[in-house]
Amino acid sequence: MLNHVFLDTGENLWELMKKKVFEAKFCLHERKNQKELRKSWARWTACLQGQPISDVRSYFGEKVALYYLWLGWYTCLLIPAAVLGVIVFLYGLAFFNTSPLIKEVCESKTIMCPLCDKRCKVWLLSDTCLYAKVSILFDNEGTVMFAMFMAVWATLFLEFWKRHRASYTCAWKVFDWCEEEEELILEIVNNAECEPKQHKHSYLRSTLVLILVTLVMLLIIGLAHALVVFRVVATVMLAEGSWEFLSDHSNTAAVILGAVLHYFTITIMTRVNRIVSLKLCNIEENQSFAATERSFTVKMFTFQFFTLFSSLFYIAFFLGRINGHPGGYVRIAGKWRLEECHPSGCLTDLFIQMAIIMVLKQTISNIFEFGGPWFNRWLKRQRTKLQRKCAHCYKKEDQQTNQGQDLCENCMLRDCLRNYRLKDVDSFSLFNEFLEMVLQFSFTTIFVAAFPLAPLLAFINNVVEIRLDAIKMVSLERRMVPKKTNNIGVWTDVLEAIGVLAVIANGLVIGISSDFIPRLVYRYHYGPCVNGTVTDMDCMSGYINNTLSILHMNDQRIYKEFSPDQMVTPSGQNVSHCSYKDYRSNEDYSFTPQFWLILAMRFAFVILFEHVVVICKFITAWFVPSVPLDVKNLRLFDKLNRLKEELRSSKV
């Protein structure tokens, strides 16, 4: 309300704060209600209990209450996704030791070509036995069904959330609330002769914002390319280093270092993206704060999404597919070979990258999110020792029947100072919480085919996150200004867009990145069971050797590719040929007919997968009404009674 009040000088509260007339503005915590919320909600021992949403709404307002309602609903619906993800993981674990693919890798005598220049030597395929076992845990037949389930789950989550929200907003009498009308009422209260701020649109400003947004996204994509260059250079440097362990595992070490660097890039770019988004919103000159908030949300999420996922998209869809072949490797600046996929498959790189980023982001962000305000409060307590309340005010606080009595001036001042020393909050404090959870929702759905345990990690994090945010808001931060609303705003549209993108991304991961399609093609077109005459052999026997091409050192086209020292096995044996993972001819290195058949099947699967899942999503959205019947009927009776009342008034 004070934000809309102007003095005789034409100044409002914001302008007075800029002139340092006032240092801060905030709502005071109500000690009695604060204590009740701590007891029933804002404590670690309540992690497995429900949330008193009505009490949260009474204290913080509908906007905060809907955030916790959404987060609690999201966490509950993560349970079936987490359980199924664990089942898919256990399905791969069940065939851990009996899979013919693992057996073929672990018992193979195949000699593989060096993975880098100069220092790297030929190696045995059996050296990747452990990684092959790990990859089968998430790259198996169950992953396909799990990815389809998660795509439909995202739609179910949103549709049931709309129903859940409708029930609460109807009970709170804000179902038909309009934010624009609320702002107009505030204007009228402060100035009965006020004029509304008219909607304006400038094509020049819109074009300028669009150009700037494009430039920022190109910058973020450029940072992803810089990470690629870093991994390439790191692989070479680690391979040529003096540490034998890092030299032998240079590819894996480079991927891990790249993931850690990516996390720090995300942390830095988060601050940059926020500043840029605010500047772009200022350029737009939106008509109201609600419009500015929506615009800021879309821009900030877009920038953060590109920051987090640009590197993952490269690993998922480009890594190992644009690096060339022996005798024709693609090099950066004509010097460094582009990195290849992990020997056990490209999905392993994606799994490592996702696991590191997700664990680091959730763990470290929660530590700073809770530790920062707590340490700030502790530090201020050490600097200033507040005096205790007088005995008279303690009695007033304890009397349940005299809640309206005021504290004495000294105690009121101490209470104001206590609130002042808490961490400051602003209009975008709740936005930070939403952004964190929606980005986690993106991780949980978009690349879930490469990381089936993502829903489980998200569920564990959210159980902690709910109480962490509650403790932070109730005890460590100043009280947010209660705001009325009836939905979570533009975040609903963002979640729906993520659901559609999840269908596309998971279809591409399974069809392009994983070995699901090559295995199917081999089983039904090239394997030992094609003719139906073999009964004592597994249909996938020989698959690993089928995916390898052979390089002969006596070929003049690749004679300078590897030095003689690189063609020496760990046992000291000189070899004249080695194998590499690709479907190429051993004579001219052109793609074999099997490669083109697999490529066609990959694209056919992606198209089929996306169409089937999208149809399932539409059927699901149609089948589940967004508003429960009891809410519809209740609103119908309310409208009928209101119309009857208006008719009676008009007759009088």
Side-chain angles (χ1 to χ4, degrees):
M1 189 76 173
L2 287 174
N3 293 331
H4 299 268
V5 176
F6 288 84
L7 301 177
D8 295 336
T9 58
E11 296 172 313
N12 62 3
L13 182 60
W14 288 106
E15 293 171 346
L16 292 174
M17 288 181 65
K18 287 180 181 178
K19 293 181 178 180
K20 303 298 182 182
V21 176
F22 296 106
E23 188 172 342
K25 64 178 183 69
F26 52 89
C27 291
L28 292 177
H29 280 289
E30 300 172 18
R31 301 299 295 275
K32 183 176 179 298
N33 294 335
Q34 192 181 27
K35 186 176 180 180
E36 290 176 354
L37 284 175
R38 282 200 192 105
K39 184 179 179 180
S40 63
W41 180 52
R43 56 188 175 89
W44 292 114
T45 53
C47 281
L48 300 180
Q49 297 178 8
Q51 299 186 82
I53 296 297
S54 297
D55 294 340
V56 176
R57 177 238 177 182
S58 299
Y59 191 72
F60 288 109
E62 285 83 0
K63 195 167 188 177
V64 173
L66 281 176
Y67 163 71
Y68 284 104
L69 184 69
W70 174 83
L71 182 55
W73 184 250
Y74 170 42
T75 304
C76 287
L77 286 195
L78 275 174
I79 295 175
V83 170
L84 193 58
V86 172
I87 291 174
V88 171
F89 179 81
L90 294 177
Y91 172 80
L93 194 63
F95 297 96
F96 198 76
N97 294 319
T98 59
S99 172
L101 303 180
I102 294 178
K103 184 178 180 181
E104 188 175 352
V105 171
C106 295
E107 297 178 357
S108 175
K109 303 296 183 184
T110 303
I111 298 173
M112 304 296 291
C113 295
L115 295 174
C116 65
D117 298 328
K118 297 180 182 179
R119 180 69 183 269
C120 296
K121 295 184 178 182
V122 292
W123 49 283
L124 295 175
L125 181 61
S126 57
D127 293 342
T128 63
C129 178
L130 177 62
Y131 293 110
K133 290 180 179 180
V134 173
S135 66
I136 204 69
L137 297 178
F138 50 86
D139 188 6
N140 53 63
E141 292 80 3
T143 305
V144 180
M145 298 305 299
F146 183 58
M148 294 181 67
F149 167 81
M150 286 302 295
V152 176
W153 173 89
T155 302
L156 281 172
F157 161 69
L158 283 174
E159 295 304 318
F160 279 111
W161 156 247
K162 292 174 185 177
R163 292 170 58 86
H164 196 53
R165 177 200 64 84
S167 299
Y168 275 84
T169 53
C170 183
W172 295 342
K173 306 299 181 183
V174 293
F175 191 94
D176 296 315
W177 176 84
C178 178
E179 189 167 18
E180 189 175 29
E181 288 183 7
E182 187 83 3
E183 292 187 357
L184 289 174
I185 290 172
L186 288 173
E187 294 287 343
I188 295 171
V189 168
N190 290 285
N191 181 10
E193 304 298 328
C194 68
E195 294 291 333
K197 294 180 181 178
Q198 298 183 7
H199 293 279
K200 297 178 181 179
H201 179 74
S202 170
Y203 287 102
L204 179 61
R205 291 179 182 273
S206 299
T207 304
L208 178 60
V209 169
L210 184 61
I211 293 172
L212 292 175
V213 167
T214 304
L215 291 175
V216 174
M217 288 195 292
L218 289 175
L219 172 64
I220 295 171
I221 294 172
L223 288 175
H225 290 164
L227 287 172
V228 173
V229 175
F230 169 80
R231 285 197 297 266
V232 170
V233 176
T235 301
V236 175
M237 294 180 67
L238 291 172
E240 295 177 354
S242 57
W243 289 1
E244 184 178 351
F245 178 80
L246 289 178
S247 179
D248 295 338
H249 302 85
S250 58
N251 278 347
T252 305
V255 170
I256 294 174
L257 286 174
V260 174
L261 182 62
H262 187 199
Y263 169 76
F264 287 111
T265 304
I266 291 169
T267 305
I268 295 170
M269 287 303 298
T270 299
R271 298 179 180 275
V272 175
N273 292 340
R274 177 182 295 275
I275 295 171
V276 172
S277 299
L278 287 173
K279 295 293 184 183
L280 292 175
C281 289
N282 291 335
I283 294 174
E284 287 179 331
E285 294 185 353
N286 292 293
Q287 185 255 354
S288 63
F289 176 79
T292 302
E293 191 175 29
R294 287 192 293 269
S295 178
F296 175 81
T297 299
V298 172
K299 291 178 179 62
M300 184 65 181
F301 174 79
T302 302
F303 294 154
Q304 284 295 92
F305 183 86
F306 271 80
T307 303
L308 264 72
F309 286 92
S310 54
S311 180
L312 293 177
F313 273 102
Y314 167 77
I315 292 174
F317 308 126
F318 298 100
L319 179 64
R321 293 168 180 82
I322 57 174
N323 61 318
H325 59 87
Y329 283 122
V330 177
R331 297 178 181 274
I332 297 176
K335 184 178 181 181
W336 296 294
R337 267 174 58 181
L338 273 183
E339 57 186 339
E340 298 184 24
C341 286
H342 193 276
S344 61
C346 296
L347 221 57
T348 302
D349 296 282
L350 186 58
F351 170 80
I352 293 172
Q353 189 88 354
M354 279 195 65
I356 291 175
I357 292 176
M358 196 167 183
V359 171
L360 277 179
K361 191 174 186 306
Q362 292 185 164
T363 304
I364 297 179
S365 64
N366 282 345
I367 291 173
F368 279 98
E369 186 178 343
F370 181 78
W374 179 86
F375 180 75
N376 183 57
R377 187 181 67 169
W378 176 84
L379 191 63
K380 288 179 178 178
R381 279 181 176 178
Q382 297 301 312
R383 290 177 178 174
T384 306
K385 297 292 185 181
L386 292 175
Q387 297 178 4
R388 297 170 63 87
K389 282 193 185 77
C390 61
H392 181 63
C393 291
Y394 265 123
K395 282 184 179 180
K396 285 184 178 180
E397 268 197 358
D398 292 337
Q399 289 174 355
Q400 300 293 328
T401 57
N402 297 326
Q403 296 178 18
Q405 293 184 8
D406 295 327
L407 303 176
C408 67
E409 291 186 5
N410 288 335
C411 292
M412 286 181 63
L413 178 60
R414 292 190 190 106
D415 198 41
C416 290
L417 288 174
R418 186 179 290 108
N419 280 267
Y420 171 72
R421 291 187 177 95
L422 297 176
K423 184 184 177 184
D424 190 18
V425 294
D426 54 31
S427 303
F428 297 110
S429 294
L430 195 62
F431 165 84
N432 297 331
E433 309 298 341
F434 261 118
L435 179 64
E436 181 184 354
M437 289 296 100
V438 172
L439 288 173
Q440 185 213 80
F441 180 81
S442 304
F443 269 104
T444 306
T445 53
I446 290 180
F447 287 118
V448 73
F451 194 26
L453 295 179
L456 177 63
L457 293 181
F459 172 76
I460 296 172
N461 175 79
N462 288 3
V463 171
V464 176
E465 182 76 24
I466 291 174
R467 302 305 158 180
L468 187 150
D469 288 346
I471 294 171
K472 188 177 63 175
M473 284 190 184
V474 173
S475 303
L476 302 177
E477 291 182 342
R478 295 172 184 170
R479 184 180 177 185
M480 286 189 180
V481 178
K483 290 185 178 180
K484 187 180 288 187
T485 188
N486 58 2
N487 55 43
I488 58 174
V490 75
W491 289 115
T492 302
D493 300 325
V494 172
L495 291 169
E496 289 179 348
I498 292 171
V500 174
L501 185 60
V503 176
I504 300 171
N506 282 301
L508 290 172
V509 167
I510 297 171
I512 305 298
S513 304
S514 75
D515 289 334
F516 176 72
I517 298 300
R519 289 172 189 168
L520 283 181
V521 171
Y522 179 80
R523 178 186 288 272
Y524 296 108
H525 201 272
Y526 294 98
C529 300
V530 173
N531 298 325
T533 57
V534 178
T535 58
D536 58 344
M537 185 181 297
D538 193 283
C539 293
M540 294 303 295
S541 296
Y543 167 76
I544 299 298
N545 282 332
N546 180 260
T547 63
L548 302 177
S549 299
I550 298 176
L551 169 70
H552 295 280
M553 283 300 295
N554 56 10
D555 192 330
Q556 295 298 321
R557 287 170 293 185
I558 56 90
Y559 182 75
K560 295 182 180 180
E561 196 72 67
F562 302 117
S563 64
D565 292 338
Q566 291 182 273
M567 304 303 291
V568 179
T569 63
S571 61
Q573 178 185 358
N574 289 314
V575 295
S576 58
H577 67 276
C578 60
S579 300
Y580 60 99
K581 193 172 183 179
D582 209 344
Y583 295 96
R584 291 184 180 272
S585 169
N586 298 334
E587 285 76 28
D588 58 1
Y589 304 106
S590 61
F591 289 117
T592 62
Q594 185 176 354
F595 168 84
W596 297 110
L597 176 61
I598 291 174
L599 185 64
M601 293 300 296
R602 286 184 189 274
F603 285 117
F605 171 82
V606 171
I607 294 172
L608 180 64
F609 177 88
E610 291 177 358
H611 279 71
V612 169
V613 175
V614 167
I615 290 172
C616 291
K617 283 172 69 67
F618 278 123
I619 292 175
T620 303
W622 166 80
F623 189 75
V624 180
S626 58
V627 180
L629 287 178
D630 56 342
V631 174
K632 285 184 177 180
N633 291 330
L634 181 61
R635 293 184 64 242
L636 185 63
F637 278 104
D638 287 343
K639 286 181 180 179
L640 180 63
N641 293 331
R642 179 174 54 81
L643 290 172
K644 287 180 179 179
E645 191 66 31
E646 289 178 357
L647 286 172
R648 291 194 196 99
S649 301
S650 62
K651 289 179 180 179
V652 174

